[in-house]
Amino acid sequence: MTGTLTIVGLGPGTPEWITPAAQAAVDVATDIVGYGPYVDRVPERDGRTKHASDNRVEVERASHALRLAAQGRKVAVVSGGDPGVFAMAAAVFEALEAGPTEWLAIPIAVEPGITAMLAAAARAGAPLGGDFCAISLSDNLKPWEVVTRRLEAALAADFVICLYNPISKARPWQLGAALELAVKQREAATPVLFARAIGRPDENLRVLTLAEAVAAAGTADMATLVMIGASNTRLVAREGGRPYVYTPRSVTKSPCATSQGRT
Ligand code: SAH
């Protein structure tokens, strides 16, 4: 008998931000597989087995989930945010591609979740109103030169840039290096968000300038999403609170063309 495998996005942290479809996929699962803190978000109940693992063993964890599904179990692989964004969905397909052909008969579904950059943007105002991109600063799975090249291209193209995995104990300098690259191409007053643990009890959103962000790089951590504004990203002051941050939908001139002397 073949079971099923659903890769589920649990959203940024608060249960209100889990979609009903993702919740239903977790509710019917006999086995919950994932990184410890995400598995912990799923309550214990009779008939449910939880398989928590370390953060670094994604493909191994994915193979384990596929083996369970091949044995007839209803498996939910859980990720924070959206499972397709720097998370388990790609690891499952990587394991599937490399695994035994029987696994191709397993019905696999992906249930989306609210990814960190959308949660952070919603809290801040509308910083993703124009074109934007997302880059993981982790160089565990790609060389730092690739990160640098992509960052420089995104900066030159004037995208709002969302930085996932900005910093960790094992990767202490990458965020500072990325912000230094940004300083070369963007104004010092460009708004930068440090959005930490959005949707969790210890949520914290800071609106900084790019110059302040360079100095504050060491205060970010693994639970932080960093967002660098584009040339037209701006603040709207409000009484008694931090300003709203938004990026207008319209762009009238091309800063990238200007910087290359083409206008
Ligand atoms: N699949 C996840 C991202 C995994 S990569 C998603 O879609 O959100 C892990 C990175 O995501 C963290 O280093 C951090 O940059 C970001 N992140 C995840 N949850 C977050 C939250 N609640 N608040 C802010 N950033 C978060």
Side-chain angles (χ1 to χ4, degrees):
M1 182 185 79
T2 301
T4 58
L5 192 154
T6 308
I7 311 150
V8 182
L10 297 179
T14 180
E16 288 80 14
W17 278 355
I18 300 179
T19 70
Q23 188 60 58
V26 169
D27 289 345
V28 300
T30 56
D31 294 76
I32 309 290
V33 176
Y35 172 43
Y38 303 134
V39 170
D40 288 346
R41 285 203 218 160
V42 178
E44 307 278 348
R45 71 158 163 74
D46 281 353
R48 169 182 288 163
T49 311
K50 302 212 280 183
H51 311 259
S53 58
D54 189 66
N55 200 10
R56 294 218 166 201
V57 292
E58 284 98 350
V59 176
E60 217 173 280
R61 186 193 298 154
S63 301
H64 177 52
L66 284 158
R67 270 195 302 278
L68 288 169
Q71 288 161 15
R73 316 282 300 174
K74 279 181 178 305
V75 183
V77 175
V78 292
S79 271
D82 182 88
V85 178
F86 307 125
M88 281 305 294
V92 168
F93 291 111
E94 214 177 295
L96 182 69
E97 207 177 23
T101 49
E102 305 90 85
W103 285 359
L104 298 172
I106 301 168
I108 298 177
V110 181
E111 282 301 343
I114 298 175
T115 188
M117 67 179 176
L118 300 186
R123 287 290 198 250
L128 303 180
D131 295 336
F132 62 89
C133 69
I135 298 177
S136 168
L137 281 195
S138 171
D139 51 358
N140 292 335
L141 297 171
K142 64 191 171 201
W144 181 249
E145 299 80 71
V146 171
V147 179
T148 305
R149 206 170 345 112
R150 288 181 179 171
L151 258 172
E152 284 172 340
L155 286 161
D158 202 24
F159 285 117
V160 170
I161 303 172
C162 301
L163 300 176
Y164 283 75
N165 297 308
I167 199 162
S168 73
K169 286 202 177 73
R171 296 181 295 100
W173 54 265
Q174 282 82 345
L175 176 60
L179 292 169
E180 292 289 353
L181 285 178
V183 166
K184 289 189 188 150
Q185 296 201 43
R186 294 206 180 161
E187 299 287 337
T190 304
V192 173
L193 301 179
F194 278 26
R196 184 179 184 282
I198 300 301
R200 301 180 200 157
D202 49 342
E203 169 173 330
N204 178 31
L205 177 67
R206 282 183 287 164
V207 180
L208 306 172
T209 64
L210 178 54
E212 288 166 346
V214 171
T219 65
D221 66 6
M222 270 173 66
T224 308
L225 183 287
V226 175
M227 199 183 293
I228 306 173
S231 61
N232 60 340
T233 301
R234 62 192 70 188
L235 308 182
V236 180
R238 65 172 145 180
E239 277 180 30
R242 56 157 201 271
Y244 298 108
V245 183
Y246 93 106
T247 307
R249 294 164 300 154
S250 53
V251 173
T252 49
K253 68 176 172 63
S254 168
C256 25
T258 309
S259 68
Q260 289 163 18
R262 279 195 260 113
T263 51

